[in-house]
Structures are given as structure tokens and as C-alpha cells.
Amino acid sequence: MNIPDFLDGDVLNPVGFNSRFLKKGIIVFGTVLIMLAWCLFLFQVEKNKKELVAGLEREQQNLAGVLAENLFQILEQRHTIELFASKWFDGTKSPSGDITGFLYGERTFTRIVLYDLSGRAFYESSPESGDRPDKIREQIEKMLGTGQPVLMPRDNRPSNISWQVPFLFPIRIGAAIKGAMLLEMDFGYFLNLLQNVDIGRTGTITVQYDQGEEVARFESGGLVVGNSPVKMMPAGSISGDSGFRGGRYSDFGNCYLTYLRVHDYPFMITIGIGQDEFLSDFNQYRNRLLWVLIILTSLGLSGIVLLFKMINRSQAYLDALALSNKENQRLIQNLEKEHKASTRAASFDPLTELYNRNLFVSLAEKSILQAKRNKFCYAVLFIDLDRFKKINDTLGHHIGDLLLKEVSLRLKTCTRKSDIVSRFGGDEFVVMLTEVARERDIATVVENITAAVSKPCPDLDGHEIITSPSVGISVYPRDGEDIETLLLNADAAMYKAKKSGRGQYRFFDPSLNTVSVEKFALEQRMPSAIARGEFTLHYQPKIRLQDYRVVGLEALIRWNHPHHGMIFPPDFIEIAEETGLIMDLGAWVVEAACRQLKSWRAAGMELIPIAVNVSPLELKDRAYVNRFQNILKQYDIPLKYIEIEVTENAFIDDRDIVINNLKALFDKGVKIFLDDFGTGFSSLEHIRFLPVNSLKIDRSFIQDIRNSYHDNPIVSSTITMAKKLNLTVVAEGVETSDQLISLRVAGCEQVQGYLFSRPVSENKIREFIISPVRRI
């Protein structure tokens, strides 16, 4: 059998199949493939359409939310006018001055009129002959019937400026309606937010009143207000306060439509776009793909070779479709990121509903401009809650959030409506006191805030919480003429207050700037300084009084700064603890001590234990013990050659974690010294329960000791009781022979001080160790 005979189909092939059946099989196979391709096409097209519509829904909902929030904030300003009007009803004063001042800085209201319930106007920001008393009374009666704002007729107004829309709001004194206020809103200013928004040729954004009359509409041609044709949402299509619909509407045609009610007001924002316009690109893409699929299908019927080519070409188009989908996903993700960014840039803190930093800065800058035109005092208060991190870590973020809400309410209570109260984040609050008559009145307000915040919070989800504020104060213009400078100086003053204790406040002092700049420079350089090896260890020996031999060394860290020279621990340890770098710095000290011991061992020297000082923050870390052991294993140093010195304040916070860490090291043979004993809270009765081997008597008790140990009963009693507890005693700060003699008589076992050696570098301490016997 040859190949032509096989292709002709007249002869059976070796496996028993006739070519006719083979051709039928190819047709069936091709048909199945074509059907699968069509199904995939329809499925993918429908999926793409759903994804595009979902992206449009998110975009329209976010835009409607921004517009509704802006309209809400504009309408909420009526409460300020309502407060001014209340003074007229109680006979205090005429509201004209206050409202005129309000209108001076407010661009969204072009006209304000106040009426009593009879329709008589007792204040007009500008006259308007079109306001007929009988019409006003009619609208007031309508407002009293519903208790809601009323959209005023605009047909009879002479000027008939279409973008200025009048509303009639009730004036409430307590729960009763005492009058009415007519607010003429400039919707041109409000919808100016949309000038950079591309809504398309058929797109429309409307503001509707209570599912009724359309107040304003923004289209591709611009702003449409007033006598324009009314476009309304069908009542049956609305469910809830917000929604998204796609379909045919009598006023909107075939479109996708999003609606959102304005919180607490009978207004609705609608955003729509014609389906044909929105899906035009998609439809063109779909039609192109459809024609391609038709052509490929026709080519596939011509034969197996063309069938394979069609499949390959279809795959190529499917790959292009996948790439297009991926690009669409990327564009959608970018839009989502932009929407999230706009949400983050919103004006209010979501937790406390106070102003956020951006809005505070904006309002404060306006207040400073006003301050330049009057003689009042303005002050910025930077407030930080004491022990807030401890509360958060102990009771959880839920309780911390409840505490922040309570503090925000108390801050509002202690300040006036003209003051600006904000939350910058975490437990940081910032308040601007505006138009204070005298500078000494600022301190009175701060004291009220301190007293209010310091009161117990009796029931925060079953917990009673007590906190207090640390407040820094900067005064305009003495401490700065712009808001950024005032914030910076108030922040510096707050840190000074926090160092003075809890519940303190401090005014800014120019000297704080110099300290802050130097501290900031050290803080910024410290991470790279650790990496570059700018730190070094100096060593001070511990002498055993029995034979004056060196029995140990204390490693003391120094910072060899390239510009400031040698910097000592008091100038940078606090910075390391505040920034969290103390963990890296402490690990470096242990590694440096291990490297030194390894070097001495390689040189044939007899090893002497080196004691390192450990910060309380390091001991609060549950992973500290493993980190400490891993470093010693890395350098093959036995645990007995690295000792630990801790101060008494390490046991104040997180006591159980600290004691567990020290006990784990104590049980493994690490010697632990309690440093600066006598200056903290501990007593010898308390010490017996701590995992320590030795006490180091603070130098302040050694300075006044004389030849007789009876001259200092604290030292003698400490030594006696420590021996009963089987603890070694080391005296710090020994500088004279008289002190040394008194300590020997008292029974002290080890000393450390300038009498034998200052803290010195590795080269000098090596010489000291080589000749370990001392004669005094």
C-alpha cells in the first residue's frame, strides 16, 4: 500500500481504518474544536464585560462618595449659622456681625436670609426683591410639615442666576423649630470639583432633591442648573441609600447609573454614563474578535492542515485576549489605587472623626492668615498620651481605639467650636487655639485639657483606664509664623514635657531646637554607624580584694563619631532605645566582646569574663535568650565568659518576661550583676527572688565612706545581708585608698574604679591583664 492509495480512501490502512472514516473523524474533531472555540469566545467576552462593569461601579461609587461627603460638609455649616441665629431668639445680640464674618471666608453660600416663623426676615446678607412674604410663609409651612429642608422656587427671582440654588432650612433651638434660614448655595463652586473629571459624551452627574426635582447636573457641556429639563431616578429602582443599576431609564436612556444619598439630608448624588458609549471600545473589540473567529472557522473546514493553522491562529488571538485582559486588570488596579489614595486623603480621621493632618494644616493656615489681621493670640498644642503603647500592648488595639475616641470627645468638650481639633495618627492629637485674648489664657485651657484627659475612663469594654496627656505648646507669632514651624516647635516642647513626667505641659523654648537637631542627626546616623564599625568597646577591670587580681572586665561602649569625636553612652543610649536600635546595638556589644575573647584566646592569653550592660528593652524581647546564645555559639565562647549587668528599672515593666529571660540565662551559668544597686526601688528582701549572682553598690554610696565602715551603714548593711543571700558584692567608683580600706574592713569582695584603672581601650587593658597582681 502506498501513500496516495491511503489518502484516496479506497484501500484499508494497516490498522484497518478507511480514509473515509478518518475524514469523518477529522470533521468531528474539527467541529468539536470549533464549538469549544465559540464557547470560549462567548465566555471570555461575557467575563470581560462583567469586569469592565465592576470597575465602572467602583469608580462611580467612589466619585459619588467624594461628592456626597463634600456636599455634606457644605450643608453641615448651616449649624454655625443656626448658632448665630439662636442669639437673636434668646435676645443676646443680632447675628448680622457673626454671619457677615462667616460669609467673608465662605464661598459656597452667596446669600443668607433668616426668618421667624411668621415669614418676617430679621437678617438678610443681601436684599432680593423676588422674596415675596406670602411665598416665604407658604414654604415655611411646608418645611414645618416635614421638618426637612425645602427647595425654594427659582422661577420668580429677577436675577435668576441658575447655578445659585436657594434652600430653606429649619432653625432649631434645642428640639423646637424657631425659625427658618434661606441659604443660597453656589453649585457652580461645588461642582467645580468635577472640572478635571472626564465623564464622557453621554455621562451625567446630578444632585437631586428627595427623589424629586433635579437641583444641578454636570454634563459634557458643563454645569446645568435651574430651568433645565428634570432628570429623575425611577422610584422603583431605588433600594437603600446607595446602589448601582444598569438598564433603560426614561430620563437617562440605556445607561449604567449609580446613586448615593447624602447622609442626614434629603439629597441624592447620581452618576450615569450611556451603555453604548461605555461599551463602545469593548463592542468594537468583540466584533473584531468575532470576525476573526468566523474566518478561522471557515478556514478550518477546508482540511486538516488548515484546521491546525486555524487552531494555532486562534491560540494566538486567545493569547492576545489574555494579554488584553491582563492590561485591563492593570488599569483597574491603578484605578483602585487612585481611589484608595483619594480615600486616604479624605478630610477626617476615620476612628475619632476629628480632622486629619491634611485638613488641620489647611484650616490652620487660614487661621494664621486671619491672625495677621488681628491682635489675638493663636497657639498650637501637640498632645501625646502617656503610656498609650503600654495600654495597647496589654489590653489590645480595640481598647486603645476606645480610649482614643474618649479622649477625642474630651478634647472637643474642652475647646471652642472656633478651635481646630485634630488627630495626626497613633496617640498624637493637635489643637489650634484661635483668637485667645491673652497668652496666659492658653495655660488655663491646657490645664483644663490635662485635667479632663487625666480623669479615669470608667468603662471601656469592661476596663477602667487612666491615662494623662503630655502637651507641648507653641505660640504664634513668637514661636513661628507658619504652621509647619509651629508644629515642629510644639512637638519639641511636647518631648520636653514628657521627660518632665506624666501629665505635664511645656511652652516652647528656642534652646530645644539645637538639642533636637543634634539628637536627630545622631538618630539618622546611628544605623550606618553600627554597620560601619564606628562604635568601640573600652574596658574597666574588676579587682578582687583578697589578692588584688583582675577577676573580670566591664565592657563600656563608645561612639567614635567622625565629626564629634568620642561620644559617651548618656548621649546616645536613650536615642537607641527610642528608635528601637538598642536591639542592634546590644547585639553588636555582645559580638564585639566575643570577638575580643576569641582574639585573646588565639594569642594564648588566659580568658577573663567580660560583663556587658543590657537595656531593659532588650530583656523584654522573648527572643533575647536565643539571640544571646547564638552569638556565643558563633564565636565558640563558653557562657561563663560573658556576664550581664542590668539595672533595677529593668524589672518595672513586663516584669515576668524580664525575669524569665534572666532566669533562663542564670540556669545556664551566665553570671548576672544587679548594677547601680541602692538608687532604684529594690530592697535586699526583694532581691532574694531575682535571678542575680552579684550586687554592684552605686558609686554615690562609696564617695563619702571613710576609714571606718560604720560611717556608711547602708554600705555595711548591704554587704552583710548580701553575704547571707550568697551574693557577691562589687563596689563601684572606688577612687581613694581610704575608700578601699573601708570596703575591705566592711567585707566587700570586689571593687571597680579609677583607683585601679579608668575604662581604657583594648591595647591598654591587655597590658593591665598581663600583670594581674596589684599592690596598694
Side-chain angles (χ1 to χ4, degrees):
M1 179 176 61
N2 53 34
I3 293 178
D5 291 338
F6 172 76
L7 292 177
D8 186 63
D10 295 330
V11 183
L12 290 177
N13 59 25
V15 293
F17 285 101
N18 189 278
S19 62
R20 186 181 300 111
F21 295 105
L22 179 61
K23 292 176 182 177
K24 289 182 179 180
I26 292 174
I27 292 174
V28 172
F29 181 74
T31 302
V32 171
L33 288 180
I34 291 172
M35 291 179 64
L36 288 176
W38 277 95
C39 292
L40 179 61
F41 163 76
L42 294 175
F43 171 78
Q44 196 64 40
V45 166
E46 186 63 25
K47 178 182 177 183
N48 288 350
K49 183 177 180 180
K50 289 181 179 179
E51 290 175 348
L52 287 174
V53 173
L56 175 66
E57 179 181 358
R58 287 191 293 271
E59 181 179 359
Q60 288 187 347
Q61 286 177 346
N62 288 336
L63 180 57
V66 171
L67 293 176
E69 179 62 22
N70 275 275
L71 182 57
F72 175 78
Q73 294 301 325
I74 291 171
L75 294 172
E76 278 296 276
Q77 297 185 67
R78 69 183 181 84
H79 293 303
T80 302
I81 304 172
E82 189 175 58
L83 177 62
F84 296 151
S86 67
K87 299 179 181 179
W88 183 85
F89 285 103
D90 62 17
T92 304
K93 60 182 289 189
S94 171
S96 59
D98 294 331
I99 299 179
T100 301
F102 172 81
L103 280 174
Y104 180 76
E106 180 55 53
R107 297 177 58 187
T108 54
F109 298 122
T110 58
R111 182 168 176 260
I112 298 176
V113 183
L114 304 181
Y115 300 96
D116 58 19
L117 293 179
S118 68
R120 182 177 61 87
F122 60 89
Y123 170 80
E124 290 183 275
S125 62
S126 60
E128 180 61 60
S129 59
D131 294 340
R132 292 171 49 190
D134 56 334
K135 293 293 184 181
I136 294 297
R137 286 194 296 273
E138 179 182 344
Q139 297 301 321
I140 289 177
E141 291 297 325
K142 183 178 179 181
M143 178 197 70
L144 291 174
T146 62
Q148 296 292 328
V150 174
L151 176 63
M152 297 288 290
R154 291 174 284 173
D155 300 332
N156 299 325
R157 297 177 65 236
S159 59
N160 198 22
I161 301 176
S162 62
W163 59 84
Q164 296 177 357
V165 183
F167 291 92
L168 196 66
F169 289 86
I171 299 177
R172 298 181 186 272
I173 308 298
I177 299 177
K178 297 294 186 178
M181 69 175 78
L182 187 144
L183 302 181
E184 191 170 87
M185 296 176 57
D186 187 346
F187 271 83
Y189 175 77
F190 168 69
L191 293 178
N192 189 47
L193 295 168
L194 304 171
Q195 62 181 348
N196 294 323
V197 177
D198 183 11
I199 62 174
R201 177 176 51 82
T202 61
T204 177
I205 299 175
T206 71
V207 179
Q208 295 189 14
Y209 175 75
D210 198 20
Q211 303 185 39
E213 184 174 354
E214 179 182 270
V215 177
R217 182 169 76 252
F218 183 83
E219 299 177 340
S220 60
L223 175 65
V224 181
V225 183
N227 297 323
S228 61
V230 176
K231 291 188 175 182
M232 297 171 52
M233 284 282 292
S237 65
I238 298 176
S239 60
D241 293 333
S242 63
F244 175 83
R245 297 287 185 273
R248 180 171 182 80
Y249 300 92
S250 58
D251 287 333
F252 294 92
N254 289 329
C255 68
Y256 292 112
L257 197 65
T258 293
Y259 62 90
L260 177 64
R261 298 184 187 276
V262 179
H263 181 62
D264 288 341
Y265 289 96
F267 295 95
M268 178 187 296
I269 304 295
T270 69
I271 302 175
I273 185 171
Q275 292 184 3
D276 291 340
E277 178 185 3
F278 176 70
L279 296 175
S280 61
D281 292 338
F282 172 80
N283 290 334
Q284 292 177 8
Y285 169 76
R286 181 197 60 192
N287 292 337
R288 287 195 302 269
L289 197 62
L290 178 62
W291 278 108
V292 169
L293 194 56
I294 292 173
I295 294 172
L296 291 177
T297 301
S298 62
L299 291 176
L301 299 176
S302 64
I304 187 169
V305 176
L306 295 178
L307 177 63
F308 283 129
K309 290 183 178 180
M310 184 200 71
I311 294 173
N312 292 336
R313 188 177 301 177
S314 296
Q315 186 62 51
Y317 278 98
L318 291 175
D319 290 342
L321 180 61
L323 182 61
S324 176
N325 290 335
K326 184 176 181 180
E327 180 65 15
N328 289 339
Q329 290 292 337
R330 186 186 66 81
L331 293 175
I332 292 172
Q333 289 175 357
N334 288 341
L335 287 174
E336 290 176 347
K337 289 180 180 178
E338 291 176 4
H339 293 321
K340 289 180 181 179
S342 65
T343 301
R344 287 195 298 270
S347 300
F348 291 86
D349 173 55
L351 177 64
T352 63
E353 298 183 357
L354 296 177
Y355 297 139
N356 65 6
R357 183 186 185 100
N358 292 335
L359 186 55
F360 173 85
V361 171
S362 176
L363 295 175
E365 287 174 345
K366 293 180 180 179
S367 295
I368 290 176
L369 291 177
Q370 295 178 0
K372 293 179 180 179
R373 297 192 293 267
N374 58 44
K375 297 181 180 180
F376 290 106
C377 293
Y378 287 69
V380 172
L381 316 181
F382 206 105
I383 303 170
D384 186 88
L385 299 182
D386 300 326
R387 299 177 64 251
F388 180 76
K389 184 178 183 301
K390 178 70 174 178
I391 295 171
N392 243 1
D393 294 343
T394 304
L395 302 178
H397 291 280
H398 172 63
I399 301 300
D401 290 347
L402 293 178
L403 176 60
L404 292 174
K405 291 181 180 179
E406 179 64 25
V407 170
S408 68
L409 292 176
R410 296 184 183 186
L411 289 177
K412 290 180 182 178
T413 304
C414 296
T415 53
R416 304 162 298 171
K417 290 189 176 180
S418 60
D419 298 329
I420 307 171
V421 184
S422 68
R423 178 187 175 217
F424 274 26
D427 60 334
E428 292 181 346
F429 296 85
V430 178
V431 177
M432 171 172 268
L433 302 180
T434 63
E435 299 185 359
V436 181
R438 298 164 298 183
E439 186 171 324
R440 63 174 176 265
D441 294 338
I442 297 173
T444 302
V445 176
V446 175
E447 289 171 357
N448 291 338
I449 289 175
T450 302
V453 176
S454 299
K455 290 180 180 179
C457 301
D459 186 13
L460 296 182
D461 200 12
H463 296 274
E464 181 175 352
I465 306 298
I466 300 176
T467 187
S468 56
S470 294
V471 186
I473 310 165
S474 61
V475 181
Y476 172 88
R478 184 189 67 195
D479 301 327
E481 297 186 357
D482 60 84
I483 187 59
E484 292 301 333
T485 303
L486 291 170
L487 284 172
L488 183 65
N489 292 338
D491 189 23
M494 185 273 292
Y495 277 105
K496 181 180 179 182
K498 189 170 282 289
K499 290 182 178 180
S500 302
R502 297 174 181 171
Q504 301 294 317
Y505 69 89
R506 293 291 183 271
F507 283 85
F508 173 72
D509 182 347
S511 64
L512 293 175
N513 272 341
T514 302
V515 176
S516 298
V517 170
E518 293 178 354
K519 180 179 178 182
F520 180 75
L522 292 178
E523 177 183 323
Q524 294 300 304
R525 186 178 178 85
M526 185 173 291
S528 61
I530 297 174
R532 294 172 183 171
E534 293 181 7
F535 290 91
T536 185
L537 291 183
H538 283 195
Y539 303 90
Q540 188 174 32
K542 298 176 184 178
I543 307 299
R544 185 170 59 199
L545 293 184
Q546 179 182 355
D547 51 12
Y548 293 103
R549 288 184 175 272
V550 178
V551 293
L553 302 173
E554 180 180 1
L556 301 167
I557 190 170
R558 303 287 187 263
W559 186 350
N560 191 10
H561 197 283
H563 304 298
H564 302 297
M566 195 66 72
I567 302 177
F568 293 89
D571 295 325
F572 63 83
I573 290 298
E574 182 180 357
I575 297 174
E577 291 180 334
E578 291 176 354
T579 59
L581 291 172
I582 193 65
M583 302 296 183
D584 296 335
L585 196 61
W588 181 90
V589 170
V590 176
E591 287 190 24
C594 289
R595 285 195 298 268
Q596 189 63 72
L597 289 169
K598 186 176 181 179
S599 173
W600 286 342
R601 183 172 60 191
M605 293 179 56
E606 182 180 354
L607 296 187
I608 297 175
I610 297 178
V612 297
N613 292 279
V614 180
S615 166
L617 293 179
E618 293 181 85
L619 294 173
K620 295 176 185 178
D621 185 1
R622 298 181 187 274
Y624 178 76
V625 174
N626 289 335
R627 187 165 61 248
F628 180 87
Q629 292 182 106
N630 289 338
I631 294 174
L632 269 64
K633 289 179 181 178
Q634 178 183 350
Y635 291 93
D636 192 25
I637 302 298
L639 291 172
K640 65 179 181 179
Y641 288 113
I642 296 293
E643 302 172 338
I644 288 179
E645 294 193 7
V646 299
T647 56
E648 298 174 73
N649 60 7
F651 301 97
I652 296 177
D653 296 325
D654 298 322
R655 175 185 175 88
D656 292 339
I657 298 176
V658 173
I659 290 180
N660 289 338
N661 280 337
L662 290 177
K663 189 175 186 304
L665 294 174
F666 182 88
D667 293 341
K668 294 179 183 298
V670 177
K671 195 171 184 181
I672 300 173
F673 291 77
L674 187 61
D675 200 8
D676 300 334
F677 181 76
T679 61
F681 67 91
S682 297
S683 63
L684 286 170
E685 182 64 25
H686 175 72
I687 294 301
R688 63 188 297 183
F689 300 106
L690 299 180
V692 296
N693 305 93
S694 302
L695 302 181
K696 296 186 72 174
I697 301 177
D698 187 72
R699 65 181 67 248
S700 60
F701 297 102
I702 305 301
Q703 291 176 351
D704 297 331
I705 199 169
R706 296 293 183 267
N707 290 338
S708 173
Y709 68 90
H710 293 294
D711 290 343
N712 197 323
I714 295 178
V715 174
S716 60
S717 61
T718 298
I719 294 173
T720 301
M721 292 298 295
K723 287 186 175 181
K724 291 182 179 180
L725 296 175
N726 198 28
L727 299 177
T728 303
V729 178
V730 182
E732 295 182 293
V734 177
E735 299 179 357
T736 67
S737 299
D738 290 344
Q739 294 170 345
L740 183 66
I741 294 171
S742 298
L743 289 168
R744 287 203 65 176
V745 172
C748 184
E749 298 161 286
Q750 298 178 19
V751 295
Q752 181 180 347
Y754 286 3
L755 179 63
F756 294 95
S757 174
R758 294 173 177 269
V760 294
S761 63
E762 185 272 336
N763 292 332
K764 293 183 179 180
I765 201 64
R766 182 197 293 258
E767 298 174 0
F768 195 92
I769 295 173
I770 292 175
S771 301
V773 179
R774 312 281 170 246
R775 294 183 180 179
I776 304 300

